[in-house]
Amino acid sequence: MSIYAIQSGKRAGLFSTWHQTEREIRGIRSAEWRRFDRKRDAVLWLLTESEPNLAEGSAAAFVDGCYDPRNRAYGAGVLIVSPEGDINRLSLSIKDPDWTNLTNIAGELQAVIHAATLAADCGYPALTIYHDYDGIAGWATGTWNAATKATVAYTYRMRQLEKELAIHFIKVPAHQNRGNLAADTLARAAAGLTPRSRGWELTLNT
């Protein structure tokens, strides 16, 4: 069954019929839309603004973190897309003295841990993590040296999770696509901070 994704039109989002889609793009010269066979791939095209290339059965997660120095709390935000294309959100507020010295990076690492744990608990065979900080992949893969309690704990947990599912990392520019903006919004909400933007929200008429 085909599903239609509109990147730019009257509304950005997913639509289940060509009739709905045509109504949203009619008269707009700059309209950008695609037809997909899989809902997951349509969602990822909207969130990343690029061609998805995930294996069958793989989930995806967008992660970000932030820090509020007023109360020394950090927020972790996760937008996870299941292999079926369903979207789940996690917004976590955490205070831990072993982590807060990393400020917003603590939130990013915790977001990755929670995303991968959820994917493993759901039995997904693979997870692709979209992130905007190099250390997320660096510490997880061992190319960065873990030198604090928090980064050692992160490295250890990711190696444990990699025994349960394949984890892939994709670096994306900060705050420049809907997926990263969504994770940033969730992280900031968890820390009690004002969102930068709500421009990531999508219409899901499926």
Side-chain angles (χ1 to χ4, degrees), residues 7-82:
Q7 193 75 253
S8 59
K10 294 176 183 176
R11 291 180 296 171
L14 300 182
F15 299 86
S16 57
T17 69
W18 169 244
H19 176 72
Q20 292 174 318
T21 306
E22 186 179 30
R23 189 168 54 199
E24 296 294 329
I25 63 175
R26 185 186 298 124
I28 301 177
R29 287 188 176 183
S30 60
E32 186 179 1
W33 64 275
R34 290 273 307 275
R35 182 181 67 82
F36 291 88
D37 294 326
R38 295 178 182 171
K39 182 180 177 182
R40 181 203 64 183
D41 292 347
V43 170
L44 289 177
W45 181 68
L46 289 172
L47 293 174
T48 64
E49 302 174 23
S50 62
E51 189 70 26
N53 187 27
L54 272 64
E56 180 76 26
S58 178
F62 298 83
V63 299
D64 209 351
C66 69
Y67 179 70
D68 183 0
R70 297 169 300 177
N71 58 19
R72 293 184 60 79
Y74 58 89
V78 180
L79 186 80
I80 190 162
V81 182
S82 76

Side-chain angles (χ1 to χ4, degrees), residues 189-204:
L193 300 173
T194 303
R196 287 189 176 88
S197 168
R198 294 191 180 275
W200 63 272
E201 293 171 342
L202 302 171
T203 299
L204 302 175

Side-chain angles (χ1 to χ4, degrees), residues 25-174:
I25 63 175
R26 185 186 298 124
I28 301 177
R29 287 188 176 183
S30 60
E32 186 179 1
W33 64 275
R34 290 273 307 275
R35 182 181 67 82
F36 291 88
D37 294 326
R38 295 178 182 171
K39 182 180 177 182
R40 181 203 64 183
D41 292 347
V43 170
L44 289 177
W45 181 68
L46 289 172
L47 293 174
T48 64
E49 302 174 23
S50 62
E51 189 70 26
N53 187 27
L54 272 64
E56 180 76 26
S58 178
F62 298 83
V63 299
D64 209 351
C66 69
Y67 179 70
D68 183 0
R70 297 169 300 177
N71 58 19
R72 293 184 60 79
Y74 58 89
V78 180
L79 186 80
I80 190 162
V81 182
S82 76
E84 295 75 32
D86 298 320
I87 295 175
N88 291 294
R89 301 169 176 85
L90 297 176
S91 186
L92 307 160
S93 179
I94 306 167
K95 288 186 178 182
D96 186 328
D98 288 338
W99 287 74
T100 50
N101 65 314
L102 294 176
T103 62
N104 64 298
I105 296 170
E108 303 207 28
L109 300 183
Q110 285 285 353
V112 175
I113 290 172
H114 281 82
T117 299
L118 177 61
D121 289 346
C122 289
Y124 301 150
L127 176 69
T128 295
I129 297 173
Y130 294 86
H131 61 94
D132 62 16
Y133 175 63
D134 287 327
I136 283 177
W139 284 311
T141 60
T143 57
W144 282 31
N145 181 45
T148 68
K149 285 185 178 180
T151 55
V152 168
Y154 170 76
T155 300
Y156 175 79
R157 180 59 180 150
M158 293 305 292
R159 287 177 180 170
Q160 293 299 112
L161 285 163
E162 286 173 343
K163 297 176 183 178
E164 301 182 51
L165 76 168
I167 301 174
H168 309 285
F169 298 93
I170 296 179
K171 173 82 181 297
V172 296

